[in-house]
Amino acid sequence: MKTKIVLLGPPGSGKGTQGEKLSQELGFVRLSTGDMLREAVRNGTPLGLKANEYMRNGGLVPNDLIISLMKEKIASLGEGVGIIFDGFPRTVEQADALGDGIDVDLALNLDVDDSELVNRLTKRRTCPNCNAVYHIDYNPPKKNGICDKCGSELYQRDDDKEETVLNRLRVYRENTMPLIEYYGRKGTLATVKGVGSIDEIFGMVRKTVL
Ligand code: AP5
């Protein structure tokens, strides 16, 4: 079975949504750099203070900060643990750093058009406590504005405002899209169309992983 899985795809393609379902089904650890960075920002740590200025306008946090954060996390998990990488790597430099120590079995690319991405992100609501994500039309919480899983009040991420979303898509095309070719050359790339219901997409993701 594939045990080191990288989720690729533009902002809003469903990496968090599908990654969480996969992690529950397989018992793998999901490492989301976005969740880690948002927690660091909330806690006002030195990393959070540095990362905040890049995240607010949809830019990438510098490679050296992200690479050392992830190396530390990976080392803390020990050998033989299944890992789903969500939001990392995002540049060729990060992919090289990951490859230096981890054999990626599968890079799963979720393919979604820009117009759908903007709609998904601007209507996303996120739980600040357990990081669950909802969409106000497609995947609403049972009680308006409240997380089904932990009861916390949901919020809209600062970087989910339309202008910032458009910048994130530009940054994705410039810096992260080249990873599709990168993993294609290594023979570990699989692309799944990320459009349809969350469960339909998960069916395809599951088939690709197992
Ligand atoms: P990060 O949190 O990783 O953001 P992202 O990659 O832009 O991805 P998102 O979390 O926005 O989207 P997603 O693909 O997970 O989609 P989701 O499942 O939520 O990063 C944030 C920032 O941190 C970056 O901009 C950068 O500054 C920094 N950063 C992070 N990692 C970094 C790195 N490695 N290097 C440098 N900087 C880094 O779904 C989106 C919405 O759609 C939800 O509302 C969901 O309910 C809905 N939805 C999901 N699936 C469907 C479906 N099938 N149909 C309808 N709606 C759906």
Side-chain angles (χ1 to χ4, degrees):
M1 199 210 287
K2 300 167 183 94
T3 61
K4 301 293 183 288
I5 300 166
V6 165
L7 295 180
L8 289 178
S13 56
K15 300 181 297 297
T17 302
Q18 298 297 330
E20 189 51 32
K21 284 174 85 69
L22 204 53
S23 134
Q24 278 172 18
E25 165 125 358
L26 302 177
F28 286 9
V29 175
R30 179 172 75 98
L31 293 182
S32 157
T33 39
D35 287 348
M36 289 176 211
L37 291 169
R38 278 183 290 279
E39 192 184 340
V41 170
R42 271 196 297 276
N43 294 337
T45 66
L47 169 68
L49 293 175
K50 282 188 205 145
N52 195 22
E53 62 183 276
Y54 300 97
M55 294 173 77
R56 262 208 316 242
N57 64 27
L60 290 183
V61 174
N63 283 324
D64 56 335
L65 293 178
I66 294 289
I67 289 169
S68 55
L69 170 73
M70 285 306 272
K71 291 233 155 177
E72 217 174 276
K73 274 281 169 197
I74 293 167
S76 74
L77 295 176
E79 297 285 311
V81 176
I83 307 178
I84 299 163
F85 294 95
D86 170 358
F88 177 87
R90 243 176 167 96
T91 62
V92 169
E93 193 177 331
Q94 292 179 18
D96 284 341
L98 178 64
D100 179 23
I102 292 275
D103 284 329
V104 172
D105 300 305
L106 173 69
L108 201 155
N109 177 38
L110 291 169
D111 182 27
V112 181
D113 289 345
D114 279 11
S115 57
E116 170 74 5
L117 297 171
V118 174
N119 177 297
R120 285 189 190 180
L121 290 175
T122 52
K123 293 187 177 174
R124 171 167 56 186
R125 297 295 178 269
T126 303
C127 176
N129 181 44
C130 71
N131 300 313
V133 292
Y134 301 88
H135 186 280
I136 55 182
D137 300 328
Y138 303 142
N139 179 28
K142 291 191 183 89
K143 194 171 164 201
N144 191 20
I146 302 295
C147 179
D148 292 346
K149 292 186 181 152
C150 73
S152 302
E153 200 171 324
L154 303 175
Y155 80 114
Q156 182 177 33
R157 275 170 44 177
D158 277 350
D159 62 349
D160 279 348
K161 310 268 156 61
E162 185 159 353
E163 195 187 310
T164 316
V165 164
L166 295 176
N167 193 37
R168 285 163 64 197
L169 291 174
R170 266 194 300 275
V171 168
Y172 165 78
R173 274 191 285 275
E174 267 172 40
N175 297 278
T176 310
M177 251 181 115
L179 293 182
I180 295 176
E181 208 187 311
Y182 179 100
Y183 285 111
R185 278 199 307 271
K186 290 189 184 289
T188 50
L189 179 76
T191 293
V192 164
K193 195 87 191 146
V195 184
S197 78
I198 290 171
D199 287 339
E200 277 163 7
I201 297 164
F202 185 60
M204 293 187 278
V205 166
R206 206 174 163 276
K207 234 189 251 172
T208 310
V209 170
L210 294 178

